[in-house]
Amino acid sequence: MVWDVSFTCDICGKKKGEANHWWMAMLGDVPCYDEGQPGFRFTLLPWNAAESRNSDLYHLCGQGCVMQAVERFMTRGSIEIDMAATR
Ligand SMILES: [Zn+2]
């Protein structure tokens, strides 16, 4: 996947501008978890130009989209919209 210099929010699709306060999020493994619980942790990182090209990271345009990403993570264990899981 080729990354352009411009980024789009993984939640709402907004394009990143110079003055936006963007964040990055990633899902990582947890060493152990109870049965029936998500096997991931949600990590929120301040925007970092060097790390922003890491394809493991989600790009979030602001607090609203961060909250939405957390909500998706808590309800589905995933940040991406999974059409198959939509009820
Ligand atoms: Zn957004």
Side-chain angles (χ1 to χ4, degrees):
M1 188 172 179
V2 179
W3 285 88
D4 199 79
V5 284
S6 65
F7 296 96
T8 49
C9 177
D10 286 311
I11 298 293
C12 72
K14 195 164 107 180
K15 286 228 185 302
K16 187 178 185 322
E18 287 296 320
N20 303 150
H21 297 289
W22 283 51
W23 292 80
M24 304 187 296
M26 71 184 296
L27 298 184
D29 293 328
V30 289
C32 55
Y33 52 92
D34 286 345
E35 202 173 321
Q37 294 281 60
F40 298 106
R41 61 188 159 84
F42 183 101
T43 308
L44 183 67
L45 304 95
W47 186 263
N48 174 279
E51 277 295 308
S52 62
R53 285 158 198 282
N54 184 335
S55 59
D56 289 337
L57 293 168
Y58 296 93
H59 307 103
L60 306 164
C61 70
Q63 189 185 349
C65 285
V66 170
M67 299 308 279
Q68 209 168 321
V70 171
E71 193 184 317
R72 282 188 196 176
F73 170 68
M74 291 175 75
T75 54
R76 296 175 221 171
S78 160
I79 294 177
E80 277 157 84
I81 301 167
D82 185 356
M83 291 304 173
T86 309
R87 272 173 259 173

